[in-house]
């Protein structure tokens, strides 16, 4: 496994507030084409995309795992795992943090900017990513500057990705009145 995502629940995540659902084994299906889909209140698509072959997805419904987590718990899934969540029908927020771990030899097929990454272990000798400086303290001037640099780079990546048509719109669809 070269690329995995840890989803860390910062608040309880259950069926009522839209826990993450995974399709068991879907990471073995290989690369699946995606298509753009407008973000709506009913389909709050973070990246504005879905698997293009919806017949395939419908045929795998019996393999859906609803991943309910308590605050502080985490789930791990392979990068190509089909995942989604249903709308939050509760009065509680569902807050989580996604952290992606990748091997040092992973490369991006569509790099738009040189992404800043944190080296978790080992060494990186490639040229596609820029390794972030290690924070020297908590919330000092240098640490906030590093955070700003990282956020600025992410905004630049998202902007360029949208301009190149690599990232669908993040706008909510307007409902007809």
């Amino acid at each position: 496994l070269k690329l995995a995502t840890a989803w860390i629940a910062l608040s309880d995540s259950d069926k009522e507030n839209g826990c993450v659902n995974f399709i068991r084994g879907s990471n073995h299906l290989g690369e699946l084409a995606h298509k753009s889909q407008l973000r709506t209140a009913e389909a709050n698509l973070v990246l504005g995309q879905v698997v293009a072959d919806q017949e395939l997805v419908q045929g795998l419904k019996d393999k859906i795992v609803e991943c309910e987590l308590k605050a502080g718990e985490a789930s791990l899934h392979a990068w190509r795992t089909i995942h989604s969540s249903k709308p939050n029908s509760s009065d509680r927020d569902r807050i989580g943090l996604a952290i992606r771990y990748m091997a040092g030899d992973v490369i991006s097929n569509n790099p738009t900017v040189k992404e800043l990454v944190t080296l978790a272990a080992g060494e990186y000798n490639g040229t596609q990513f820029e390794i972030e400086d290690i924070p020297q303290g908590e919330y000092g001037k240098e640490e906030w500057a590093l955070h700003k640099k990282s956020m600025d780079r992410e905004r630049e990546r998202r902007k360029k990705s949208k301009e190149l048509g690599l990232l669908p719109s993040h706008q909510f669809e307007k409902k007809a009145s």
Side-chain angles (χ1 to χ4, degrees):
L1 182 63
K2 298 258 186 185
L3 186 56
T5 299
W7 196 89
I8 303 166
L10 301 180
S11 64
D12 289 352
S13 175
D14 54 40
K15 294 174 195 172
E16 190 179 60
N17 72 350
C19 64
V20 178
N21 298 324
F22 302 102
I23 296 182
R24 182 183 289 118
S26 60
N27 57 303
H28 299 293
L29 297 173
E31 187 171 347
L32 299 174
H34 287 69
K35 66 179 182 179
S36 297
Q37 182 170 311
L38 283 177
R39 187 177 189 186
T40 66
E42 294 77 31
N44 189 9
L45 304 167
V46 175
L47 296 178
Q49 62 185 10
V50 296
V51 173
D53 186 350
Q54 284 298 296
E55 285 185 30
L56 170 73
V57 174
Q58 294 302 317
L60 296 171
K61 281 206 177 255
D62 63 325
K63 296 185 184 303
I64 291 176
V65 175
E66 294 171 316
C67 189
E68 295 186 294
L69 300 171
K70 295 288 185 194
E73 295 179 335
S75 65
L76 291 172
H77 66 275
W79 175 57
R80 289 191 167 149
T81 301
I82 299 172
H83 59 285
S84 63
S85 60
K86 293 184 177 168
N88 184 344
S89 60
S90 76
D91 61 355
R92 298 173 289 120
D93 289 331
R94 180 182 61 100
I95 305 168
L97 174 67
I99 300 174
R100 287 178 184 74
Y101 292 93
M102 62 184 179
D105 60 348
V106 170
I107 60 169
S108 174
N109 291 332
N110 295 311
T112 54
V113 298
K114 193 170 207 171
E115 293 191 60
L116 284 165
V117 298
T118 301
L119 186 62
E123 59 183 57
Y124 174 69
N125 297 314
T127 59
Q128 188 167 25
F129 301 102
E130 180 181 342
I131 304 298
E132 291 181 317
D133 294 331
I134 297 171
Q136 299 302 309
E138 292 189 33
Y139 306 110
K141 215 177 216 183
E142 291 83 17
E143 288 73 27
W144 280 112
L146 176 61
H147 176 71
K148 181 180 182 326
K149 178 180 179 183
S150 183
M151 293 295 95
D152 288 347
R153 188 78 55 91
E154 176 61 13
R155 278 189 281 282
E156 179 185 2
R157 184 192 67 76
R158 291 178 86 75
K159 180 182 176 193
K160 285 185 177 180
S161 294
K162 273 185 157 181
E163 289 168 359
L164 295 170
L166 300 173
L167 187 63
S169 171
H170 286 195
Q171 299 294 317
F172 276 96
E173 183 179 81
K174 293 186 175 144
K175 297 203 180 219
S177 334

mmCIF file of all heavy atoms in Angstrom, residues 13 38 57 63 87 123 154 159:
data_model
loop_
_atom_site.group_PDB
_atom_site.id
_atom_site.type_symbol
_atom_site.label_atom_id
_atom_site.label_comp_id
_atom_site.label_asym_id
_atom_site.label_seq_id
_atom_site.Cartn_x
_atom_site.Cartn_y
_atom_site.Cartn_z
ATOM 1 N N SER A 13 -19.056 10.606 15.116
ATOM 2 C CA SER A 13 -19.481 10.471 13.723
ATOM 3 C C SER A 13 -20.346 9.215 13.637
ATOM 4 O O SER A 13 -19.857 8.108 13.858
ATOM 5 C CB SER A 13 -18.233 10.346 12.834
ATOM 6 O OG SER A 13 -18.579 10.104 11.510
ATOM 7 N N LEU A 38 -22.484 18.607 -9.307
ATOM 8 C CA LEU A 38 -22.653 19.787 -8.474
ATOM 9 C C LEU A 38 -22.873 19.411 -7.017
ATOM 10 O O LEU A 38 -23.554 18.434 -6.710
ATOM 11 C CB LEU A 38 -23.835 20.630 -8.962
ATOM 12 C CG LEU A 38 -23.590 21.483 -10.193
ATOM 13 C CD1 LEU A 38 -24.869 22.191 -10.604
ATOM 14 C CD2 LEU A 38 -22.490 22.498 -9.941
ATOM 15 N N VAL A 57 -21.224 1.201 -8.872
ATOM 16 C CA VAL A 57 -21.408 1.585 -7.468
ATOM 17 C C VAL A 57 -22.698 0.975 -6.917
ATOM 18 O O VAL A 57 -22.711 0.423 -5.814
ATOM 19 C CB VAL A 57 -21.399 3.124 -7.310
ATOM 20 C CG1 VAL A 57 -21.727 3.534 -5.884
ATOM 21 C CG2 VAL A 57 -20.043 3.692 -7.732
ATOM 22 N N LYS A 63 -21.884 -4.101 -0.068
ATOM 23 C CA LYS A 63 -20.553 -4.089 0.541
ATOM 24 C C LYS A 63 -20.269 -2.787 1.297
ATOM 25 O O LYS A 63 -19.149 -2.559 1.739
ATOM 26 C CB LYS A 63 -19.486 -4.312 -0.530
ATOM 27 C CG LYS A 63 -19.582 -5.679 -1.203
ATOM 28 C CD LYS A 63 -18.442 -5.880 -2.154
ATOM 29 C CE LYS A 63 -18.520 -7.161 -2.926
ATOM 30 N NZ LYS A 63 -18.596 -8.369 -2.168
ATOM 31 N N PRO A 87 -26.089 12.955 4.002
ATOM 32 C CA PRO A 87 -26.258 14.268 4.645
ATOM 33 C C PRO A 87 -26.374 14.145 6.161
ATOM 34 O O PRO A 87 -26.826 13.130 6.689
ATOM 35 C CB PRO A 87 -27.571 14.788 4.047
ATOM 36 C CG PRO A 87 -27.742 14.040 2.771
ATOM 37 C CD PRO A 87 -27.136 12.687 3.009
ATOM 38 N N GLU A 123 13.358 9.057 4.468
ATOM 39 C CA GLU A 123 13.870 10.213 3.749
ATOM 40 C C GLU A 123 13.192 10.304 2.394
ATOM 41 O O GLU A 123 12.665 9.328 1.878
ATOM 42 C CB GLU A 123 15.384 10.134 3.588
ATOM 43 C CG GLU A 123 15.874 8.910 2.838
ATOM 44 C CD GLU A 123 17.395 8.855 2.778
ATOM 45 O OE1 GLU A 123 18.040 8.871 3.839
ATOM 46 O OE2 GLU A 123 17.912 8.795 1.657
ATOM 47 N N GLU A 154 -1.808 25.462 -0.749
ATOM 48 C CA GLU A 154 -3.028 24.682 -0.995
ATOM 49 C C GLU A 154 -4.046 25.505 -1.773
ATOM 50 O O GLU A 154 -4.681 25.011 -2.694
ATOM 51 C CB GLU A 154 -3.620 24.190 0.329
ATOM 52 C CG GLU A 154 -4.929 23.451 0.191
ATOM 53 C CD GLU A 154 -4.867 22.175 -0.648
ATOM 54 O OE1 GLU A 154 -3.767 21.690 -0.960
ATOM 55 O OE2 GLU A 154 -5.941 21.663 -1.012
ATOM 56 N N LYS A 159 -6.829 26.570 -6.857
ATOM 57 C CA LYS A 159 -7.150 27.555 -7.895
ATOM 58 C C LYS A 159 -6.667 27.073 -9.264
ATOM 59 O O LYS A 159 -7.418 27.079 -10.232
ATOM 60 C CB LYS A 159 -6.513 28.904 -7.547
ATOM 61 C CG LYS A 159 -6.789 29.979 -8.571
ATOM 62 C CD LYS A 159 -6.097 31.287 -8.204
ATOM 63 C CE LYS A 159 -6.317 32.306 -9.306
ATOM 64 N NZ LYS A 159 -5.453 33.445 -9.181
#
